[in-house]
Amino acid sequence: MRVLVIGSGAREHALLLGLRKDPGVDYLAVAPGNAGTATVAEQFDVDVTSADDVTALAVRLRVDLVVIGPEVPLALGVGDAVRATGIACFGPSKDAARIEGSKAFAKDVMAAAGVRTAASQTVDSPAHLDAALDRFGPAVGQAAWVVKDDGLAAGKGVVVTADRDAARAHAATLLDSGHPVLLESFLDGPEVSLFCLVDGAAVVPLVAAQDFKRVADGDTGPNTGGMGAYAPLPWLPESVRAEMVRELVEPVAAELVRRGCPFTGLLYAGLAMTSDGPAVVEFNCRFGDPETQAVLALLESPLGALLYATATGTLAEAAPLQWHDGYAVTVVLAAENYPGRPRFGDVITGSEADSVLHAGTARREDGAVVSCGGRVLSVVGTGADLPAARAAAYRVMSAIRLPGGHFRTDIGLAAAEGRITY
């Protein structure tokens, strides 16, 4: 099978490494890729938001499967264009991708499906903002205001704060830039990332993970696209994971089928384990980064066959998933000033290990690997238990050098020490 992966992040690097292990995959290409993916697959410089460019490349390479990693091309309908050529595509249609592209649409789907989620209100005018803020957050006894960009924001359009002025400022900035704002009630409890392969009404869950959105140790500082993750979750009973699939994911998949926009690809459920039971924080329409790196490190089943089955409507016939024993931990190395405007062009050393997955990297003409993004790379460690996986990840990270680079030192620590329960 010939496979083209679209994207340039650590998620795509992890997908390529997983596909390379599948004996049924005999050719790999990536567009546009990065300094790390270039060592795994043939690399092409393509605008991933251009349906014409992506489809032309897929046809020229005679691939059997296109895997679209980022959310933006999915929201723009690139997957639809690929399928129109007769090539299988792993990734939802433009209509189904609204589950991530429009939080208001996602809320409507969840309401129709009877899925537990936060109460919310969409605000599209500054004139209505103050009254809406008074209906949420500490004003009504909640721990914090939750203010979200209604559209795609790469994980950084969310502010969770007990400071009303900060909540209002974020909302006002979004509204001034023409973005509707979603205010939500605060959901307590630890968060869980649950990935599910979805083919219409067929849902196959992967192992659960937990990611870390705040930039600094102790879950402090602003939100980011994700600073690390671990999988599986030693504190989450299998019976609860099965309940989440049955009560939160399957009803949404069925509702999308009912609406005539069945989901095909990876449906990401961000969940909060509240005192009232699991509730949906958000849905995404693709593999999440950095959880993908940890989850795929544990997958034993052939990845290419799974993605192809999902893309061609045969997921229900796939064999039960097989997993390696143990745990995986992902730690992200970010550029100076991230999640603000990051510094680019710094030379990275020590990033040659197999467990290093590249994201915002490029290779200069002299061969040096340099930073060209906010989240520069991630390191994946595996081990028989969570402490061992953490030790493996941080051992590799300690050998990497990036001027001004920073990473969290507490990824998976609370779980490893038994401080998370449910």
Side-chain angles (χ1 to χ4, degrees):
M1 179 166 54
R2 297 171 63 84
V3 183
L4 167 63
V5 174
I6 300 298
S8 60
R11 165 186 52 215
E12 286 73 39
H13 197 171
L15 285 164
L16 288 165
L17 292 177
L19 289 163
R20 186 174 63 173
K21 296 175 185 176
D22 185 338
V25 175
D26 52 21
Y27 173 78
L28 283 172
V30 62
N34 56 50
T37 59
T39 66
V40 184
E42 190 172 6
Q43 199 146 295
F44 298 88
D45 187 11
V46 166
D47 177 2
V48 301
T49 67
S50 169
D52 290 342
D53 289 356
V54 172
T55 54
L57 178 62
V59 170
R60 176 160 64 89
L61 296 178
R62 296 178 291 108
V63 297
D64 304 292
L65 175 67
V66 174
V67 179
I68 300 179
E71 63 273 24
V72 172
L74 292 169
L76 292 174
V78 173
D80 302 270
V82 171
R83 279 183 284 270
T85 69
I87 298 173
C89 181
F90 183 88
S93 67
K94 179 179 180 178
D95 279 350
R98 288 181 294 164
I99 199 72
E100 178 174 1
S102 169
K103 293 176 178 63
F105 173 78
K107 288 291 187 182
D108 187 60
V109 169
M110 285 186 274
V115 166
R116 185 187 299 113
T117 186
S120 65
Q121 179 182 346
T122 301
V123 180
D124 58 9
S125 168
H128 302 148
L129 179 56
D130 285 304
L133 285 169
D134 289 342
R135 287 189 284 271
F136 290 88
V140 291
Q142 298 167 1
W145 278 278
V146 180
V147 184
K148 297 183 176 181
D149 187 332
D150 184 54
L152 298 176
K156 292 179 286 185
V158 181
V159 162
V160 180
T161 178
D163 183 335
R164 190 183 194 281
D165 289 341
R168 192 186 191 289
H170 181 62
T173 298
L174 292 173
L175 290 169
D176 288 345
S177 61
H179 291 226
V181 169
L182 191 78
L183 298 180
E184 286 188 343
S185 58
F186 180 79
L187 297 176
D188 61 337
E191 291 195 9
V192 172
S193 298
L194 182 61
F195 292 0
C196 293
L197 299 171
V198 176
D199 161 21
V203 177
V204 175
L206 308 187
V207 296
Q210 185 176 58
D211 80 330
F212 296 76
K213 288 294 188 188
R214 300 283 188 168
V215 72
D217 285 2
D219 291 326
T220 58
N223 270 351
T224 71
M227 293 299 293
Y230 67 95
L233 309 182
W235 50 268
L236 184 71
E238 174 57 31
S239 60
V240 176
R241 186 184 73 127
E243 173 193 343
M244 294 189 300
V245 174
R246 184 175 62 252
E247 296 187 1
L248 303 178
V249 181
E250 290 180 351
V252 165
E255 175 63 17
L256 291 173
V257 171
R258 191 190 70 77
R259 292 179 179 222
C261 53
F263 192 96
T264 299
L266 194 289
L267 186 59
Y268 167 119
L271 310 172
M273 311 305 292
T274 77
S275 53
D276 295 323
V280 176
V281 176
E282 65 178 351
F283 279 107
N284 290 341
C285 65
R286 37 71 193 186
F287 277 103
D289 181 347
E291 300 98 319
T292 298
Q293 295 90 293
V295 170
L296 292 188
L298 300 172
L299 180 65
E300 188 173 353
S301 297
L303 179 61
L306 279 172
L307 302 186
Y308 188 77
T310 305
T312 56
T314 59
L315 180 62
E317 304 165 20
L321 299 189
Q322 301 297 313
W323 298 92
H324 296 291
D325 293 334
Y327 292 80
V329 171
T330 303
V331 182
V332 171
L333 176 64
E336 182 176 345
N337 199 43
Y338 178 81
R341 185 182 296 276
R343 195 174 78 183
F344 293 169
D346 289 311
V347 174
I348 307 160
T349 59
S351 64
E352 297 78 18
D354 291 341
S355 57
V356 177
L357 303 179
H358 289 239
T361 66
R363 193 174 294 277
R364 292 192 318 209
E365 290 185 3
D366 63 2
V369 175
V370 297
S371 61
C372 64
R375 291 186 297 169
V376 177
L377 54 82
S378 59
V379 174
V380 180
T382 58
D385 55 29
L386 196 48
R390 274 179 40 81
Y394 282 109
R395 183 167 56 249
V396 174
M397 184 64 83
S398 68
I400 299 173
R401 296 289 179 267
L402 170 65
H406 59 96
F407 59 91
R408 284 184 58 160
T409 65
D410 62 348
I411 303 300
L413 179 60
E417 294 179 345
R419 291 188 278 118
I420 303 180
T421 58
Y422 181 73

